[in-house]
Each structure stands twice: as C-alpha cells, then as structure tokens.
Amino acid sequence: MAEMSKIEQVLNKYNLDISDEEVKDAVKKIIAEKVPLNDTPEVKKFLMGSVELTTLKTTDSETSVMAFTEKVNQFEEAYPDLPHVATICVYPKFAKVVSETLEVEGVEVACVSGSFPSSQSLIEVKTVETSLAVKDGATEIDIVMNVGAFLDGDFETVVDEIQQQKEACGEKDMKVILETGCLKTAKNIKIASILSMYAGGDYIKTSTGKLEPAATPEAAYVMCQAIKEYYDQTGIQIGFKPAGGLNSVMDALIYYTIVKEVLGEKWLTNKWFRMGTSRLANLLLSEVIGKEVKFF
C-alpha cells in the first residue's frame, strides 16, 4: 500500500486530464500543417539511420539471422554516403549470432525479451531471459509492460516487473513496450508511459507489432507529451520508438514530425528516436536514391 501511495504521488505530478478527442484534433493539425515541411531528402536520410531493422518471425534461424545481419554489413560498402540503420532487433536466442556477425560500428544489437510479445510469464523467467540476452551480446533490451496487471489497476506489479527487468539489463538500455492498442484511451497511454519511465525504462515504445492496432500517431503524440513532461520534472531524457504498422515513408514522416513538434530538436537523433520496422528500410532507401531498391 505504501508503494501504491508513492506511485499515486508520482502520477499526481502529471497532467492526466486528456481526452481522446483533443489528441485526435492536435494530431490532425500537426499532420496537415507540419508534415509537408519535413518531406525532404535530408529528413528521409535521417530516418534511415533511425530504423531498427527487425526480424521476429517463427521461421527465423541462425542461418537467416546471419544473412540478415550480413545485409547491414554490406550496406555500408554499397552506400557509404548514407547512414546505416540504428539497430538490428532479434529474439534473444540470436543475440550471439548477430553480435558475432555484425561488423558495422555504431549499430546496436537489440533483443525483445521478457516473454515477448505477451509478457505472460513468471517474472523470474523474464529476468533470466534478459540476463542471458545481455550475456550473449545484446546491447539493448525491449520488454513488454505487464498489460494485464495495468488494466487491472495493479500499478505496483507493473512498476516492480519493469524495475526487476531493468536490473537484469545492467548498464544496457531498456525499452518498455506499452502495447498501446490494448490500452484504448489517451489517459491510459499517458499513465503507462509515466509508470514505465518512472520504473527505469530508457525508452518507451508503442507496440510489439504482433497485435492490431499497433503504432498510431495519436498514441505517439500522447507518449511524446509524457516524455516531455517527465523530462521537465526530472531532467532525464527518455527515447521514443514507434513500432508496428509503419508501412510507408509517409508514416515515418508523421512520427518524425510529432517528435519534432512535441519534443523538439534534442530528440531528433538516432539515439533518441527509433522506428521498429523492416519494410521501411527499403522504402526509405528507394526514395533517397530515386529508384526502387530491395536491398534488405
């Protein structure tokens, strides 16, 4: 009960009086007025460097993941004037093969962990999986918030599980996936964002990509508002990652613009702004060089 009281005190510092309608209106305005200004070759080049190239398939194998990683190695030689992707994101069992195959400086090895994508496992299992991924070479960890506990109003369990998994990460950055499509309301997304940052998340991420709806501009807007308020309260900068349903270059431009308008230039680096996708890499590359390319 004391911990719940502490959590309530934290939440009381933030503006939770937000409606879905006002969020929709704000996003509509940003898309109409600001996105066209960012539809430039320079922004598209930047966005290529923010991609977390992701393979999370049932059919993944050591052979396929090694070939996937080799594509990133080859990209730097094929396109030396373009930014390489920010991250290769895989299941924990492939952390070692990626870390041993990857030759490009500055590309992170991210692993989805903690019983991804459902988070429906014992916390002991989640922390062990995270520890093993880090041991095998993961430099970043993506976990899923305990959505069931959140919807039950059990914020203490939500915070405790995130804290334990952050401890298992050691010094490695951890992203907390909110699975915003399950949270339904802007207020819930705001609360989940605050709890995840308070509990030690270094990034907050929209979705696993395994459920619909996945990322939406409205969820992104609320999450970025939460990041800004948290930064104003604590001085701690938290990263943002939309993932799932990023199907077009316009989708990428919309998320870029939301980050720019809500958070500002300080977040417009491939450290603080990431996009979880695979299909976008080829689409962005095609737009930048002016012809259709299927490199990845």
Side-chain angles (χ1 to χ4, degrees):
M1 290 303 294
E3 181 63 23
M4 279 301 292
S5 173
K6 190 175 180 183
I7 290 170
E8 286 169 356
Q9 287 174 29
V10 169
L11 292 176
N12 284 339
K13 296 177 182 177
Y14 297 90
N15 174 29
L16 302 179
D17 184 23
I18 52 173
S19 73
D20 295 336
E21 209 53 51
E22 72 183 52
V23 169
K24 282 180 186 172
D25 289 344
V27 169
K28 190 175 177 182
K29 184 175 168 64
I30 288 173
I31 291 173
E33 296 179 5
K34 303 295 184 179
V35 170
L37 304 175
N38 296 318
D39 190 357
T40 67
E42 292 73 27
V43 170
K44 290 167 188 172
K45 280 184 185 178
F46 165 79
L47 289 168
M48 285 188 61
S50 288
V51 166
E52 295 208 353
L53 202 65
T54 303
T55 181
L56 298 171
K57 301 194 293 286
T58 302
T59 53
D60 286 343
S61 67
E62 286 202 0
T63 302
S64 70
V65 171
M66 188 180 293
F68 189 74
T69 307
E70 284 289 5
K71 283 288 186 183
V72 176
N73 293 337
Q74 293 158 12
F75 181 85
E76 190 163 63
E77 187 176 333
Y79 300 99
D81 297 330
L82 296 179
H84 55 66
V85 297
T87 305
I88 297 174
C89 185
V90 294
Y91 283 112
K93 68 176 291 184
F94 300 116
K96 190 171 185 182
V97 70
V98 174
S99 62
E100 289 179 350
T101 305
L102 185 62
E103 298 168 359
V104 184
E105 290 290 326
V107 176
E108 303 291 344
V109 181
C111 284
V112 294
S113 185
S115 196
F116 177 95
S118 69
S119 195
Q120 296 286 21
S121 185
L122 299 170
I123 185 60
E124 292 85 353
V125 174
K126 296 179 185 181
T127 54
V128 167
E129 184 179 34
T130 296
S131 298
L132 291 172
V134 170
K135 181 179 75 68
D136 281 351
T139 60
E140 296 182 354
I141 294 292
D142 293 29
I143 67 162
V144 184
M145 180 187 77
N146 187 328
V147 178
F150 179 90
L151 294 174
D152 263 359
D154 184 2
F155 296 163
E156 184 175 5
T157 292
V158 171
V159 167
D160 181 62
E161 289 200 359
I162 293 170
Q163 287 175 334
Q164 288 194 53
Q165 289 176 88
K166 175 59 183 171
E167 191 174 330
C169 288
E171 296 178 355
K172 307 304 181 187
D173 282 345
M174 184 179 77
K175 308 184 195 89
V176 182
I177 304 167
L178 309 185
E179 202 66 282
T180 52
C182 295
L183 302 183
K184 306 298 185 188
T185 68
K187 183 176 180 179
N188 275 350
I189 293 169
K190 185 80 172 278
I191 292 171
S193 298
I194 293 162
L195 293 179
S196 297
M197 294 184 287
Y198 166 70
D202 300 290
Y203 294 75
I204 52 176
K205 175 178 168 182
T206 57
S207 332
T208 61
K210 302 297 186 184
L211 295 176
E212 295 294 337
T216 65
E218 290 77 17
Y221 179 82
V222 174
M223 291 168 71
C224 287
Q225 278 192 320
I227 290 170
K228 184 177 190 305
E229 288 181 38
Y230 188 79
Y231 180 72
D232 291 343
Q233 287 272 357
T234 66
I236 299 169
Q237 188 169 4
I238 301 293
F240 172 63
K241 178 181 173 182
L246 278 68
N247 297 316
S248 68
V249 172
M250 183 52 66
D251 289 338
L253 291 171
I254 287 170
Y255 289 113
Y256 171 92
T257 304
I258 289 169
V259 169
K260 184 177 181 181
E261 293 302 313
V262 178
L263 292 171
E265 298 283 344
K266 189 171 184 177
W267 269 263
L268 293 179
T269 74
N270 76 343
K271 162 70 175 172
W272 299 109
F273 175 54
R274 302 279 184 77
M275 299 183 297
T277 181
S278 281
R279 61 178 69 89
L280 255 185
N282 283 327
L283 295 174
L284 285 164
L285 179 58
S286 298
E287 290 237 354
V288 167
I289 68 174
K291 64 179 182 180
E292 187 177 2
V293 180
K294 293 183 178 176
F295 185 88
F296 293 103

